[in-house]
Amino acid sequence: MDLLNDYLEKEPINPDNKSAFSRDNLLIAADVFQELDWTAEYKTPEEKTKHEDNIIKSVRISHSEAEINAAVRVSLIRNRIMTEINERVRTGERPEDIQNERILLEKESYISSLKELKVEYLRTRLEGLKGRVGADDFEQQAQNAEISAIKIANAEMVKWQDIMIDARRALNPEGWDHIINFFKHTAEKASKNKLLGGYFGMNRNLRTALTAGIIGGGIAAFAAPLAVAAGFGGAGFVAYRICRSLIGGNFGYFLSKKVFQPLAKKSFESKKNIAAEFAEGAGVSESKDIFKMIASGEVIYYEHTLSRIAEQNIKIAGQYAEKMRRITTKYKIHNVAGTVLSGVIGGMAGMSIADMVLGAKGNIAHTVAGLVSDKPKVMTGHNFVTSKADSVLPDKVTITPPQVESTGDGAVLAENAAKLRQNTDVIVTKPRAEILSSEVLERAIVGEGKGVTHVLQRQLEADPKGWGYTGDATDAKALRAWSGAESYRIAVKNGYINPSTGAEVWVLDLGPKGAAGNPAYVLEHGPGGVGVVKEYINGKPAGGVGTIDAYEKLHKPTSAVVHENISESPLPEGGAKISGAENVAAQSSVADTVATADSPAAQSAAESAVSSTAEKVADISVVQSRAEAVQIFEKAFNGLKDISHDFSHLSLAEQYNALYGSSSMKEAAAAVDYFKKNNLFDGVSGGESKTMLGFFKQFEELTKVFEQNEQKFMDTIKNVTHLDEANMNNFLEMRLKRVWEYLGNGQNESVSKLVRSVNLTPAEIANNLTVGQVLKARFVDGAFVSLPSSVRL
Amino acid sequence: MDKAKIEELLKVDLLKELKLEGLDEPAKQGVVDDAVYIIVRGAWIKIFEALSSEKQAEFSKILDGSPEDADAILGFLKKEVPNYEDIIKEQIAEYKSVLLAK
């Protein structure tokens, strides 16, 4: 029985020549071939038509009749099933057996057509390579053709699974309700999430369309025009994001979090598989949100909507290429393969699915499963090496005698340090290796854009009580203020800063650009608890306190910077012994820590600035008149209003930009500033002023959402890294290039684990993004990407 | 698909049969990753649909109450879906059959 006859009778799809294919069929084929870009925006209908014409032309040229036939066939079967499910639900029928049978038969046809698609697609590609037999790149080209064919088949199989998932729920809602209830518990914990707020604020039709997206692939693109129709001009990408999550997340979450991960737990616990650890820790947040949506019963089917979906799905499923990439890559970060599969089928001689994909003998399978080694490995292909804390300990302890400078700042600094050292004999007689660990060194190494006081501050914050801090260590602001002042004080005592002149020791960037090879300034407890600084390079003692060593230089600021918290008497000013050219890589210095944005005072000011939403947007002043202010403001206000429905959907970076970074918001700040300066808010009698105050309220609400998301992000990172807050902040500020180099030393396992968990890409490293930027995108946006080449878990 | 065919397909090295052995390691891994993802997803659909509503509820309780109890979860699967390994194998075989079609 060929169920396709129904379709074929309605719409012939086997013309004798390609020119006879209908326009729709060719677009359908283009979709299956992943050659449509449904995200493209067109200014006019004509432009859209022209684009489609080009696609159609390309399909005709690039694909055979057999390919196109097969592509259209799989699409039609898929949509046939989807429509039928819709019909069954609409009429209230639940003929499970019949439908199951129907589905099975359809699937048989579907698989058959899918095979045909794959074969025909590959054959066409290979025929095109006939003339290249023997060429150097022939094998590569042939492999590329096979990979392309596989990708198309993969995407179609996932689309089919999407339909089946929803079919099962439609056929057996009671059973699924249990599952839904199960997820309620989890979902409630995630009450503040990035999906739900905007979701429930959407028009019902849009919500219906989005939830119905579970049914079929490609609905994401469909949701975009519907969003526009519903008045959500900017909701298209939100719709896509939700649909992406729905389609990719439901079963995947259930599988990975509740079944496979627990099953794999024993495995990775015993094997210390840190990749698996991250899969469990980092890969669930988005799915929780999705299941709350499902659990709330928002999966509602309307005939009209679903009919439209059925009609249009075959035309608008173009997102699947990207979606597939995202799904599979998200899967990778979940690393379900690594965590679970050997557990699930552990009864089968411990083989994993990946083993069986490779005929039960491939080493790749073990790599995928991440279970090949009992010892955690890292990314050797990207300078990630197995952590060896011992290797950074010095082999031999030698103490460099102090080289006291005779005059100038160098002399002052050396003298200051020498005084300190006279009282700390215990330090110089104690093998320095005994007090070092990789963790200590990691905190003490001066990174790019940082100075001595910065690393001192980092060390102080790592053990505040140990260094005499009596305040609340969980109060980040207070802790930072204390560590800033204390680090400065220690720097002065150890001869790195002359507080009266502002002269200070700068650290040069040694070795490759970045922290690698740079000196470490290890803070140790001297007699009476006084902080004593010891210098190391590559884990070995180096230089001398108070000495201007080869990796340092003395910097004299043009104007003195005097720290108000320092009680020491001013030291006599002198000339610097070491002058020399500026080292570009070492532009950061202790002065940065003291007097610039890193300083406690500056931080406090910044924090005050962000505490008030009104203040937040009122930091520039360019508006000259009330009329201008109102005009600018209304524009910004409307922009914010437009996105408010979808705000919680945005990634952290997007939220930040919407609130503080967009040009319209910056202009609005000027407008608000004008109102404030001219006291136009006083009394608030005018409509414009009221509107502006309303804007503040809305702004504040959105700010809260942003802050909650930010906190969620920070909590996540904290949980994953186990870094304390100070170190975590430092880490997030680090540029990826630096992290890359840093990890090349294998000095910080927790950081290494985190970086591995987010699978840094070469592009991200090349772009020199901060770790925070990448993580924000990953953890909040959920857009995990694939492992870079050469990465081995 | 009969069992003999399934077993036959399970033994096939997909990369070898597709002449993709020459790919670099990351590319190979990508192929396997995608395959595993699709197989796992399909297997889960099958596993869950094999459960009655009552058993789904029971399973939910286990998952909800003992999400970290691998033995309990695996025990349930073994008891209530004793052929779950066969389901997984079938999914693997089906997947391979599509990609190996000639």
Side-chain angles (χ1 to χ4, degrees), chain A residues 344-360:
Chain A
V344 169
I345 54 176
M348 296 191 288
M351 289 196 299
S352 71
I353 289 177
D355 288 323
M356 295 189 181
V357 167
L358 296 174

Side-chain angles (χ1 to χ4, degrees), chain A residues 533 562 766:
Chain A
V533 178
V562 181

Side-chain angles (χ1 to χ4, degrees), chain A residues 107 111 114-115 118-119 139 143 146-147 150 153-154 157-158 161-162 164-165 168 172 174-176 178-179 182 185 247-248 250-251 254-255 258-260 262-263 265-266 280 324 327-328 331-332 337 341 343-345 347-348 353-354 356-361 364 367-368 787 789-792, chain B residues 9-16 18-23 25-42 44-46 48-49 51-54 56-57 59-60 63-64 67-71 73-74 77 84-85 88-89 91-92 94-102:
Chain A
K107 184 175 183 183
I111 294 296
L114 193 53
K115 289 177 180 176
K118 199 262 179 180
V119 168
E139 185 179 353
Q143 287 176 345
E146 182 69 64
I147 294 292
I150 291 172
N154 280 348
M157 284 188 267
V158 172
Q161 288 176 354
D162 289 340
M164 291 304 105
I165 288 169
R168 297 312 173 202
N172 188 11
E174 289 183 6
W176 271 94
H178 288 303
I179 303 304
F182 160 66
H185 174 68
I247 294 169
N250 42 19
F251 268 107
F254 191 71
L255 268 177
K258 296 303 178 187
V259 180
F260 290 150
L263 288 173
K265 189 173 175 62
K266 285 186 176 178
E280 184 175 49
M324 185 65 201
I327 288 171
T328 53
Y331 172 75
K332 288 174 188 173
L341 293 178
V344 169
I345 54 176
M348 296 191 288
I353 289 177
M356 295 189 181
V357 167
L358 296 174
K361 59 185 178 182
I364 298 290
T367 304
V368 172
L787 294 167
S789 60
S790 305
V791 170
R792 293 289 175 273
Chain B
L9 283 165
L10 290 179
K11 293 174 184 172
V12 171
D13 183 332
L14 198 60
L15 292 176
K16 184 178 180 181
L18 295 175
K19 296 185 170 36
L20 295 176
E21 285 183 310
L23 289 176
E25 293 295 300
K28 283 182 187 174
Q29 188 167 328
V31 171
V32 177
D33 282 350
D34 289 354
V36 173
Y37 169 79
I38 292 168
I39 291 164
V40 168
R41 205 161 180 256
W44 189 243
I45 293 171
K46 291 285 186 184
F48 212 81
E49 75 177 9
L51 295 172
S52 66
S53 298
E54 293 74 19
Q56 286 179 0
F59 195 28
S60 297
L63 297 172
D64 200 17
E68 306 297 321
D69 190 343
D71 290 338
I73 295 169
L74 195 55
L77 278 178
Y84 79 97
E85 291 183 353
I88 295 171
K89 287 180 177 178
Q91 291 298 310
I92 297 170
E94 183 181 85
Y95 180 83
K96 283 185 169 182
S97 75
V98 171
L99 263 57
L100 294 172
K102 293 178 179 175

